[in-house]
Amino acid sequence: MAYKFRQQTLASILLLFLSAGCSGDGGRKRASEPEEFHADNDIAMTIRSAADAFRESAPLLAEDYAFEGVLTDGEGAPLYTDMTGSPGLWAVQVLDSASLRIHNLYLGDLLPDNLRQYLVLTLGLDMPIRIEAPQEAGGSEMTEYAIEAGLLRFESHTAKAANGVEGPLVNILLVANR
């Protein structure tokens, strides 16, 4: 009888601990705390994958690369936030079997030079093979890099939203040497 009592007591204590662990806020953030965003859609890995396909003379297929959503840096943080404070959205488009385009969809706090430097460092790119500075205010700035079996073109220009706020739009183009 004492053995059965101990089992019931132990079961009751365990049930109390489990129910206490399941109650409360469960580790959720309070409404006043900003939510941390994390994803595994690293822009550099997307570019590296396409460059690997170029090197292997494999065609780029939309089902493998087409994407619309948040692209991140190597640590899972979004590359920018849009004007509403949400993680900025990007589109990855296969233009044909030998070219890929990546561009941000909305204006926000994106810093094109920081993004370009991140890609240069992460991808181990050499010096640019061509640079074109904007001829006028808000004009396009373009830098091209040779990648194994292809070319990476990084373009940015300033655009204006309907409310008058300006921000950068970035266009990254990868083209195979075929």
Side-chain angles (χ1 to χ4, degrees), residues 112-113 116 127-136 138-145 151-158 171:
D113 284 338
R116 187 179 51 73
M127 295 295 294
I129 57 174
R130 187 170 127 197
I131 299 173
E132 285 185 17
Q135 300 299 314
E136 59 203 53
S140 241
E141 184 174 318
M142 189 268 304
T143 308
E144 288 183 349
Y145 298 89
L151 174 81
L152 182 145
R153 175 181 291 156
F154 188 95
E155 298 175 340
S156 66
H157 71 276
T158 302
N171 189 44

Side-chain angles (χ1 to χ4, degrees), residues 66-132:
F67 172 79
E68 188 170 303
V70 177
L71 289 175
T72 61
D73 62 13
E75 297 179 5
L79 297 172
Y80 76 104
T81 54
D82 65 21
M83 292 169 45
T84 67
S86 298
L89 298 179
W90 294 81
V92 179
Q93 303 167 305
V94 174
L95 302 177
D96 58 42
S97 66
S99 60
L100 182 79
R101 177 181 181 224
I102 302 172
H103 62 99
N104 61 316
L105 297 177
Y106 304 107
L107 299 180
D109 62 0
L110 178 63
L111 300 171
D113 284 338
N114 289 0
L115 175 57
R116 187 179 51 73
Q117 289 173 1
Y118 168 68
L119 294 175
V120 166
L121 288 172
T122 304
L123 299 171
L125 300 175
D126 291 327
M127 295 295 294
I129 57 174
R130 187 170 127 197
I131 299 173
E132 285 185 17

Side-chain angles (χ1 to χ4, degrees), residues 5-19:
F5 177 75
R6 276 190 242 151
Q7 280 184 319
Q8 288 175 340
T9 304
L10 184 58
S12 296
I13 292 170
L14 185 59
L15 187 59
L16 277 172
F17 279 120
L18 288 175
S19 64

